[in-house]
Amino acid sequence: MCNLNEFRSALHIYYDYNASTYWVAQSRNFRTSARLHLQHLLFQNTLGYLVDSRVQSSIDSAPPKPLAVADLGCGNGIWLIDLERELSKKGVSAQLDGFDVNPVLFPAAEFLPQSVTLKKLDILSRPLPQEMIGAYDIVHVRAFASIVASSNATPLLTTVTALLKPGGWLQWEESWADGFLIDSPSPDISKSTCDTIAQMLKAAAEARGLKFDFTSGMDRILTEHGFDNVYKAETDVLKQDLKGWTDDNLMVWEELYALFPPKAVAPEAPMTRELWVELFAKAVEETENGVVIHHGKIVAAVGRKPAS
């Protein structure tokens, strides 16, 4: 097995990948979509809402017609689809737009609710389409830790501010991003392989100068970028959901195999595809014995773009 220094070098591509091309023609895209469905369920179980009560109260006090919502990095659109169901029950008219740099996980438009539209867009590109500027009452952001690398949220929040109407709201949700937490149900049950992978991933990030500890200061970050009515909450994940979080994280770890060269191509590489598969299989075995992989809590922050 390679040591941490070798692994830092081997995994550098993980933190350099181009999201617009990485998923193209991948035979496992359906697994990524399934993982996002599971992740959405776990976020909702933890938070207990789709729209934060502060945002909802503000919208209810002066309901726009229609309510315009943007979901950035929308993946397969599951948050918007769930929101449409909730709004329809309340009789709320809405325009629900999802944006992602790669449309490979989008459902066919024919199978989406009429008010939901998913569009290909790099939300960090400049200039943004003019019709999007100042167009939205709510902008939703979830799981952007890899985008807000090194705690630099300015590119993301510049986009959010541009999209929001005056008085519009950002709702931002992240898993506690500073590494994986590995827990065993008993001192007699080993978690050494899961610990090793978690340490390797963190070491590889640190070697690239990347930091993911911004979640603890999301409220401060929003205030510094001009938002008002800022509020942040940290909610522990539910004990009964730890198995779900473990499965979700295992699917992320499994996807990393494609980032390593096959042994036949690079026999001297510190981490080959075959070695990763072997290491991953041992981690799975530990989870089958009850070991869990999670981030501990969800951090959610909301902030309002000033009305003037």
Side-chain angles (χ1 to χ4, degrees):
M1 185 183 300
C2 67
N3 61 37
L4 290 185
N5 288 330
E6 292 173 324
F7 189 81
R8 289 184 181 118
S9 174
L11 196 59
H12 76 277
I13 190 173
Y14 177 53
Y15 297 102
D16 285 341
Y17 83 95
N18 182 341
S20 65
T21 59
Y22 178 71
W23 300 112
V24 175
Q26 292 286 321
S27 63
R28 304 162 85 87
N29 283 330
F30 70 94
R31 300 185 70 144
T32 301
S33 184
R35 179 178 64 78
L36 292 178
H37 281 287
L38 174 58
Q39 176 183 275
H40 175 71
L41 171 67
L42 295 168
F43 265 80
Q44 296 314 121
N45 283 356
T46 306
L47 295 172
Y49 60 80
L50 286 165
V51 176
D52 179 272
S53 60
R54 294 157 190 79
V55 179
Q56 189 66 59
S57 296
S58 176
I59 296 298
D60 289 345
S61 67
K65 296 182 179 180
L67 174 68
V69 180
D71 185 22
L72 307 187
C74 66
N76 56 18
I78 182 59
W79 184 82
L80 286 174
I81 293 169
D82 240 10
L83 180 61
E84 188 279 336
R85 185 182 300 114
E86 184 172 284
L87 295 175
S88 292
K89 291 178 181 177
K90 298 178 180 179
V92 177
S93 173
Q95 169 197 338
L96 308 175
D97 296 336
F99 302 97
D100 204 290
V101 70
N102 196 310
V104 69
L105 301 183
F106 291 178
E110 291 79 3
F111 301 131
L112 288 171
Q114 188 172 2
S115 61
V116 175
T117 303
L118 306 182
K119 303 175 184 178
K120 178 181 178 179
L121 180 70
D122 179 356
I123 58 94
L124 300 181
S125 65
R126 301 290 184 269
L128 293 165
Q130 187 60 39
E131 66 273 14
M132 295 174 61
I133 304 300
Y136 293 98
D137 302 292
I138 301 172
V139 171
H140 177 252
V141 173
R142 174 182 287 174
F144 261 59
S146 62
I147 303 299
V148 190
S150 301
S151 301
N152 181 16
T154 296
L156 170 63
L157 295 181
T158 298
T159 293
V160 170
T161 302
L163 298 185
L164 285 171
K165 298 175 182 177
W169 288 84
L170 165 64
Q171 179 174 309
W172 184 9
E173 306 148 6
E174 296 287 347
S175 292
W176 189 264
D178 193 23
F180 293 97
L181 301 179
I182 312 296
D183 293 319
S184 174
S186 165
D188 299 328
I189 297 177
S190 173
K191 60 187 183 77
S192 61
T193 303
C194 289
D195 276 335
T196 295
I197 291 178
Q199 291 166 11
M200 284 178 165
L201 293 175
K202 189 169 185 177
E206 290 173 349
R208 301 292 298 171
L210 304 181
K211 297 179 180 178
F212 301 106
D213 55 359
F214 68 91
T215 50
S216 62
M218 283 166 58
D219 50 347
R220 173 186 53 79
I221 292 170
L222 293 189
T223 300
E224 290 174 351
H225 284 80
F227 289 85
D228 61 27
N229 290 55
V230 171
Y231 176 81
K232 184 194 76 171
E234 299 177 4
T235 307
D236 291 338
V237 300
L238 301 174
K239 180 173 68 173
Q240 57 266 37
D241 282 344
L242 289 176
K243 171 60 174 170
W245 286 111
T246 299
D247 292 342
D248 187 76
N249 286 314
L250 283 175
M251 284 189 272
V252 173
W253 289 5
E254 183 183 33
E255 289 167 358
L256 297 181
Y257 91 100
L259 301 179
F260 300 107
K263 185 176 181 180
V265 174
E268 302 303 320
M271 177 62 71
T272 63
R273 190 168 298 179
E274 292 82 0
L275 282 174
W276 179 260
V277 169
E278 180 182 343
L279 190 66
F280 176 73
K282 292 178 180 178
V284 171
E285 183 176 353
E286 290 180 352
T287 67
E288 290 172 345
N289 291 327
V291 171
V292 293
I293 308 163
H294 61 105
H295 291 284
K297 61 184 71 176
I298 298 296
V299 184
V302 299
R304 189 182 71 120
K305 179 179 177 177
S308 59

